[in-house]
Amino acid sequence: MKKRIHLYVSRKHPCTWLMVLCIMVSAILRIVCCNGNLWFGAILPITAAVLYALMTVLAGEEMLYRTAVPVWLMGLCFAIPSGSIAAWIACLLLCFCYTRLIDGRNKKIWLLPLYPMALAGCIYARSWADAVVILGMLLLWPAIKVHTDNKYHPTWGDRIDGRQVRTAQVMEQVTAYFMPNRTGANNLFSESAEITELEQYIRQKRKEGLRGFSITHAVLAAYVRTVAKYPALNRFIAGQRIYSRGDDISVCMTVKKELTADAPDSLIKVHLHPGDTAVDVYHKFNAEVENAKNEMETTADATVAGFMAIPRLVLKFTIWLLKCLDYFAMVPKALLEISPFHGSVYFTNLGSLGIKPVHHHLYDFGTVPAFCAFGRKRRAEEIKDGQIVERKYLDMTFNLDERICDGFYYASVIKYFLRLLAHPEALDRPPETIEQDIP
């Protein structure tokens, strides 16, 4: 993977839009001049050309390699109706070579113009519509550049919301096939955190001007700092593959606009970074909560309402289709952003409702691998140095997907997390180092 280069196309480059113009013209020509096979003369070629343009414009800056998919479709549109073995061989060879070039495994990017030229001269250009498509692909070539920032960029197997963990042990990779559902791979865990120091820390933060600083902010900050030390906690399973979210810690929560039984719930998602301090978490979390409370209806709520307006059989098919798209990492980024089922962890504060924490299940739909609940504070009398002392505790429950890391790793995570809650002053400083899940 280190030897691969990454190609990209900027939407600001004029050649990108010249290519789009050619694709539009070719589609019009096919519709007007289609005299032969409807599928292979119009529908499939138009679909392939439009997909090529859309993938280039919408995802060209990070996932230009995906244009190999419509290129394969273009080649098949010629090979299937031709019935020629030579055409099949030429098609497969050209598409294979284009795929290796566009995903960066072949660094000779000066070869890129040869592929549309070969399609035009050997197997593809049979009409003016074909010629215009080829022209569009040739015009795009000056806009194709190589990333030089020395950062990792996605390739085949990666998702919009995560990078595939290709270095995981074989047993870790195969476990997802034996336990395909998250509810069948969850571990329930309970723990109590002594919060004497934490309460003093919260009072100090409020004196410093952080109005409303609460246990929720401290717990979220402790979780973020734990991910900085144990990054495998930020993994998830999708499509029987293990992925890492890297530096994006997506915290999902359900908040009430008012503390009444009939008040509506709103779904929020807070994007945190492993380097965030407690103050950073406070500002980011409060901003999302305020947006949810001030808006009459959040985007997530509106999307759910739209789904419920669909007839139930159609809705059932829609959910099945979304699951299929999620399996193959094809769910649009906009939907992933508003989905409460896609994230790093789901938190719920039941202490605000005055009850103990619940052992909440994980969701089979989506990617959330952890659910953490904490309840109301409780007092306990203990004997220390022959004296009876009263302490305060915060009960917490964890529901964890055992497929993303092993039991020893989880044990280390929980111990470090509780240590942070016992000494929360460490959350005021950025971490000295942020461990990377994938070097």
Side-chain angles (χ1 to χ4, degrees):
M1 298 301 295
K2 293 182 180 180
K3 296 181 180 179
R4 182 182 62 89
I5 63 174
H6 189 272
L7 305 178
Y8 74 98
V9 167
S10 173
R11 284 180 233 178
K12 298 179 181 180
H13 201 288
C15 290
T16 303
W17 296 105
L18 286 175
M19 180 274 297
V20 173
L21 178 62
C22 289
I23 295 298
M24 294 174 61
V25 171
S26 71
I28 295 172
L29 288 174
R30 289 189 188 280
I31 294 173
V32 174
C33 306
C34 180
N35 297 320
N37 189 313
L38 180 63
W39 278 98
F40 292 99
I43 296 177
L44 293 181
I46 290 175
T47 301
V50 171
L51 278 177
Y52 185 88
L54 288 175
M55 288 181 176
T56 302
V57 173
L58 299 179
E61 294 186 351
E62 284 294 328
M63 292 178 287
L64 185 63
Y65 62 90
R66 288 192 174 183
T67 57
V69 176
V71 167
W72 277 88
L73 185 55
M74 290 178 190
L76 292 176
C77 286
F78 168 80
I80 292 177
S82 70
S84 169
I85 296 178
W88 272 96
I89 295 175
C91 166
L92 294 176
L93 181 61
L94 283 170
C95 293
F96 175 76
C97 292
Y98 178 86
T99 302
R100 288 187 61 86
L101 187 62
I102 204 67
D103 68 7
R105 281 176 288 182
N106 187 338
K107 299 181 181 181
K108 300 176 181 178
I109 61 172
W110 56 270
L111 292 172
L112 269 175
L114 299 181
Y115 292 99
M117 290 171 65
L119 285 172
C122 298
I123 64 171
Y124 198 100
R126 298 163 293 166
S127 66
W128 280 106
D130 295 330
V132 174
V133 171
I134 300 303
L135 176 62
M137 296 175 69
L138 285 171
L139 289 174
L140 182 66
W141 178 65
I144 299 177
K145 307 296 181 182
V146 179
H147 270 296
T148 57
D149 54 8
N150 294 323
K151 295 181 180 179
Y152 179 83
H153 295 276
T155 185
W156 299 108
D158 294 333
R159 291 170 54 101
I160 296 175
D161 53 349
R163 175 181 173 184
Q164 185 181 351
V165 182
R166 298 172 176 85
T167 56
Q169 299 180 13
V170 176
M171 184 55 67
E172 293 178 337
Q173 296 185 44
V174 78
T175 299
Y177 290 91
F178 292 116
M179 294 184 289
N181 298 322
R182 205 164 281 110
T183 51
N186 58 359
N187 289 327
L188 304 178
F189 186 80
S190 301
E191 190 55 86
S192 297
E194 205 278 324
I195 57 173
T196 301
E197 294 291 333
L198 183 59
E199 287 196 319
Q200 294 177 2
Y201 176 78
I202 291 172
R203 287 194 290 268
Q204 179 61 33
K205 287 295 160 192
R206 291 175 178 175
K207 290 179 181 178
E208 293 174 2
L210 301 182
R211 294 183 54 191
F213 190 92
S214 65
I215 284 182
T216 299
H217 299 103
V219 169
L220 291 181
Y223 190 89
V224 168
R225 186 59 52 86
T226 303
V227 172
K229 185 174 179 62
Y230 297 98
L233 187 61
N234 205 25
R235 293 178 177 180
F236 64 91
I237 302 288
Q240 271 78 56
R241 289 177 175 175
I242 305 174
Y243 294 89
S244 172
R245 291 188 179 275
D247 291 338
D248 178 35
I249 306 173
S250 302
V251 179
C252 304
M253 291 191 73
T254 302
V255 297
K256 275 188 170 293
K257 296 187 176 183
E258 297 177 0
L259 286 179
T260 59
D262 57 350
D265 294 332
S266 289
L267 305 171
I268 66 169
K269 183 178 292 186
V270 188
H271 291 280
L272 303 174
H273 186 273
D276 286 344
T277 63
V279 175
D280 296 327
V281 172
Y282 169 83
H283 289 299
K284 291 181 179 180
F285 177 77
N286 282 12
E288 292 295 332
V289 172
E290 286 301 315
N291 289 337
K293 289 184 176 180
N294 294 333
E295 292 179 2
M296 293 295 295
E297 187 177 49
T298 64
T299 305
D301 298 334
T303 304
V304 173
F307 277 134
M308 294 309 299
I310 302 174
R312 59 178 182 170
L313 288 179
V314 179
L315 177 59
K316 187 176 181 66
F317 172 77
T318 303
I319 299 301
W320 173 85
L321 181 61
L322 282 175
K323 289 181 178 180
C324 290
L325 293 175
D326 200 23
Y327 186 92
F328 293 105
M330 296 175 65
V331 176
K333 185 176 181 179
L335 279 181
L336 291 176
E337 179 60 31
I338 63 177
S339 168
F341 305 106
H342 293 80
S344 303
V345 60
Y346 210 114
F347 270 96
T348 182
N349 178 7
L350 298 179
S352 60
L353 305 180
I355 61 175
K356 296 180 179 180
V358 65
H359 287 279
H360 201 286
H361 62 86
L362 296 177
Y363 300 103
D364 283 330
F365 178 69
T367 60
V368 177
F371 203 112
C372 177
F374 51 99
R376 65 173 185 263
K377 305 171 189 176
R378 64 176 176 86
R379 300 177 185 272
E381 294 183 344
E382 300 175 356
I383 298 178
K384 182 179 180 181
D385 299 330
Q387 301 290 328
I388 297 178
V389 296
E390 186 178 78
R391 295 186 182 277
K392 278 187 178 182
Y393 285 92
L394 181 69
D395 293 329
M396 311 182 73
T397 61
F398 302 87
N399 197 330
L400 308 170
D401 187 343
E402 68 166 310
R403 300 171 299 173
I404 64 172
C405 52
D406 59 37
F408 181 84
Y409 198 93
Y410 270 137
S412 302
V413 164
I414 298 299
K415 287 190 290 186
Y416 185 72
F417 179 70
L418 294 176
R419 196 181 312 140
L420 288 171
L421 292 180
H423 304 282
E425 64 278 358
L427 302 176
D428 287 337
R429 303 181 300 272
E432 295 181 359
T433 59
I434 298 177
E435 300 294 336
Q436 298 298 319
D437 190 12
I438 305 174

